[in-house]
Structure formats: structure tokens, C-alpha cells
Amino acid sequence: MAAVSHLKVPNTLPSSNRRTLGLPPSLRQRPSVVSTAGHATPNRRTDVNGVPASSSSREDLRIGDGPPIRVAFQGSHGAYSEFAAKTAIPDCTTVPCRSFSDAIAAVGRGGADRAVLPVESTMEGTALRNYDLILCHDLQICQEISLFVHYCLLAMPGVRTAELRRVISHPMALAHCGRALAQLGLRREPVEDTAGAVQMLLSRRLVDTAAIASPRAAAIYGLDVLADGLQDASWNVTRFLLLSKPNPAGESPAVPSAKLKTSMVVAHRGGSMMILLKVLSAFSSRNLNLTKLEVNNPSLEGEGPVLVLDLRGMGFLRSFPHVIYVDFEGSTQDPKVQEAMEEIARFSVFVRILGCYAADPDVYDLHH
């Protein structure tokens, strides 16, 4: 079996430290997800359950004086979504769920206070399916967190790389590590999530099989790290959103307006290009900066319409051939933002604010 020269073979299991990476200025100006066209350097360090003291976007540890906030995530303990939740809300209690829909439903029925969903990746682009899930529920975006996704090749203790015949992991993780796995000559088999692959190794004691997961998952489950840095792209970042039930008062977070970000969806039935230009004009004429602008047009892929929960009426789902997702800097309480929203509402069929929350431009790294 051929060796993979660019992979790192660690001498010890990874520690529980993480780094916070600041995005280069050129990347912060990109209108969508983080670009692969550059690298950041560490600018401060905390432990995996700690947060930088200067960060205003971190969630309070508890709701009042009550119990820790409960965050639902898709996957098993050790999944990247769980680490995103722990990074965003350090003292939260995590609630594993089988699917993203189950995580959202947990918030709706009171089984969790938040749900965390991956929505963008530098390697995969926007996860529109997860955005569509947000549109179908009465939840709001309350926080964002970006995580550097570092993949490791994990195996049962004592197993050597030469003994491996196959590798299991989430389909996206397998795709992100395609070149390294081809060099190793391992047969790829997809499973539901990365941490689930680790649990499968342990429960079945598979000595001819490796799993792709995080270095923290290796530490949690006591597996050997045979190689790290398995991902094809050195800059591999995923953006996660945390969702909560709507704030009854409709108030913006208690941070300066300049540090707030608002997410919205614009739905329409006619041609998307004219509406897109009008949306751009509504923001640019008021010097409001966009950080994301994306059209979801499923009809081009031969798929059905986008369903959006109408919160203004009886709470029923409405269908649209295409929608536009917009993130911009600013608060819904800003008069200029309100003017832009009013202008957009005049030429679109439907506008819905998905959330107003503290912007967090940092990327957090769980690898030591």
C-alpha cells in the first residue's frame, strides 16, 4: 500500500486545545463563504471549552440562572457539529440527533434550546438543503460560528496502516479526502456521520477498517491517529448557524449595530435576474454591505419548488420557484436597513428575516 507523503503522522493523541484563526482582510470581504485563496495564522488560543475574552459574539453560558443551554446537533458525540456548538456556547449541553430535521424539531418541541446546522463549506459551497430546512420552521438564526475542519485517519489501538482495507465516514468527509484515500488504496464506504463511523469501529472492533473524523473524536473514543491533515484542501472551513425560537420582543442582540449581521430570504415568482439587481440596488444605494448573496433555483436541477413558512399569516407553507438568500452587515433596527427592507418588499412576493445576530469573522480550529 503506497505511503502518503504529505500526511502528518502524530506521535501522540491530539490535545484538547484549539486555536482561533483570524480571516485575512481579503477573505473577510468575500460576499459568501470563506475563500480557499489564502491562509490565516493563529491570533489567540483557548482550550476547547473556553472562549476568547474579547469576543462579543459568544453566547452567555446559561439562560438566566438556570441550567446550561441545550444544543441539538446531527450525529454522535464527537461530530464536528457538536464541536461547533461547544465553541459557540462553551458550557452548553449537547443533544445528539439522527438528522438535521430532528435537531430542528428538538427545539420546536422544547427538547433543546438551540439547533446547530452546517450551511456553508469552502469545498462544497452552500448547503442549500439545510437553508431550506430553516425556511420551513419558525426558528431564527441567533449565532454563527466557523470551524476549520481537520480530518484524521483513525483506527483501533495497535492497528497499522498496512493492515487497513477500507475507510468509513460521512460521504462529504470521504469526498474531501479523495486524493489521500486514493494514495492509500482504501475502499470507501459512506456512513451517516464522522463520529458514527468512529462508534462503528469500536462497537464492531473492526481491525481492517479506518474512520475519518476529527482529532478530538480520537481523544474522546481512545482511537489511534494514523495520519492527520487528510483533507485535499489545506483551507477547509465550514460555517455553522445556531437556531433558536424567535425572540418575542423582536429585539436585536445587545451589541453595537456595526457588529451585527442580518440574514433574510427574498422569494419571488418571476425571473430571478431582475429581482437580484433590485435587491443589490436597495442595499448599495444605502451603503449597506452584503456578506452573502445567493440564488436558489431548484428548477434548474429538475427539482421541486422551495417551501417557505409564512409567519405573517396562518403559519402555512408557501412554494416559490426560486428564492434569494441575503446576509448583510447591520441591524433590523437601523433606519437604513428598514428602508431597504421596505423597498424590497414592494417588488418581491415575500420577504422574511431569518435572524439578526452578532457577526463572528473568526475561524476556530480544534486541532492542536
Side-chain angles (χ1 to χ4, degrees), residues 250-253 255-262 288 328-339 341 353 355-357:
E251 298 175 352
S252 299
V255 298
S257 179
K259 295 183 179 180
L260 288 176
K261 177 186 288 187
T262 298
L288 296 170
F328 59 89
E329 296 175 354
S331 166
T332 51
Q333 307 302 316
D334 186 334
K336 291 195 301 181
V337 170
Q338 293 175 351
E339 290 176 6
M341 303 296 297
I353 298 295
C356 181
Y357 47 96

Side-chain angles (χ1 to χ4, degrees), residues 305-328:
V306 180
L307 298 179
V308 183
L309 182 65
D310 190 346
L311 302 178
R312 303 170 303 178
M314 301 298 292
F316 58 88
L317 291 171
R318 301 178 63 180
S319 62
F320 296 93
H322 30 245
V323 298
I324 300 175
Y325 296 108
V326 183
D327 288 355
F328 59 89

Side-chain angles (χ1 to χ4, degrees), residues 11 15 52 60 88 91 111 131 218 231 233 249 278 289 299 313 328 340 359-360:
N11 294 320
S15 69
D60 227 348
D91 277 8
Y131 267 111
Q231 61 274 6
K278 289 182 178 180
N289 293 324
S299 60
F328 59 89
D360 189 349

Side-chain angles (χ1 to χ4, degrees), residues 43-67:
N43 57 16
R44 58 186 183 267
R45 179 184 293 269
T46 65
D47 66 35
V48 70
N49 289 319
V51 293
S54 62
S55 179
S56 62
S57 62
R58 300 279 72 78
E59 182 83 57
D60 227 348
L61 302 186
R62 300 177 187 275
I63 303 176
D65 295 325

Side-chain angles (χ1 to χ4, degrees), residues 184-199:
L184 289 168
L186 299 178
R187 186 174 74 254
R188 308 170 207 180
E189 294 185 11
V191 295
E192 288 186 348
D193 61 270
T194 55
V198 170
Q199 289 184 331

Side-chain angles (χ1 to χ4, degrees), residues 6 36 44-45 52 63 70 76 99 119 122 142 148 163 166 184 198 202 230 248 260 275 282 296 319 338:
H6 72 281
T36 59
R44 58 186 183 267
R45 179 184 293 269
I63 303 176
R70 300 162 300 167
S76 305
S99 67
V119 293
T122 52
C142 60
F148 181 76
E163 300 174 79
R166 65 171 182 162
L184 289 168
V198 170
L202 290 171
L230 214 65
L260 288 176
I275 296 293
N296 182 12
S319 62
Q338 293 175 351

